[in-house]
Amino acid sequence: MSLQQRMRISRENAGLNQEEMAKKIGIGRATYANAKTKQGVREPRRGELLAIAAITGVDSHWLETGEVPEAGEN
């Protein structure tokens, strides 16, 4: 699963649209949308990914890597 897919799943599960998520992490909607396009126009900054994880309640390691952390990690 790609980073873009993990970002979308996290956002949708939190009940947010792109504009709402972008506002919450302090960037514009177009910037957010470009960060998650399949073309990879812009790689999201780590701070943005950490903010997305915190807002949506997903594990930041999973969001960044797609790997589920083993018990005891974090």
Side-chain angles (χ1 to χ4, degrees):
M1 179 182 313
S2 71
L3 172 59
Q4 294 78 18
Q5 290 171 316
R6 294 188 303 275
M7 288 172 63
R8 181 184 50 78
I9 289 168
S10 301
R11 178 181 55 76
E12 289 177 352
N13 285 340
L16 300 169
N17 63 36
Q18 287 184 354
E19 186 169 350
E20 292 166 331
M21 178 59 78
K23 279 186 181 181
K24 287 184 178 290
I25 63 174
I27 62 175
R29 193 213 55 83
T31 301
Y32 179 83
N34 286 340
K36 60 183 279 322
T37 61
K38 290 181 180 174
Q39 292 82 10
V41 173
R42 178 183 166 276
E43 185 70 25
R45 293 185 176 104
R46 185 159 196 270
E48 293 166 357
L49 292 176
L50 293 175
I52 292 168
I55 291 163
T56 62
V58 301
D59 183 83
S60 60
H61 180 76
W62 173 80
L63 184 61
E64 290 183 278
T65 67
E67 299 171 357
V68 177
E70 295 185 25
E73 287 185 16
N74 280 353

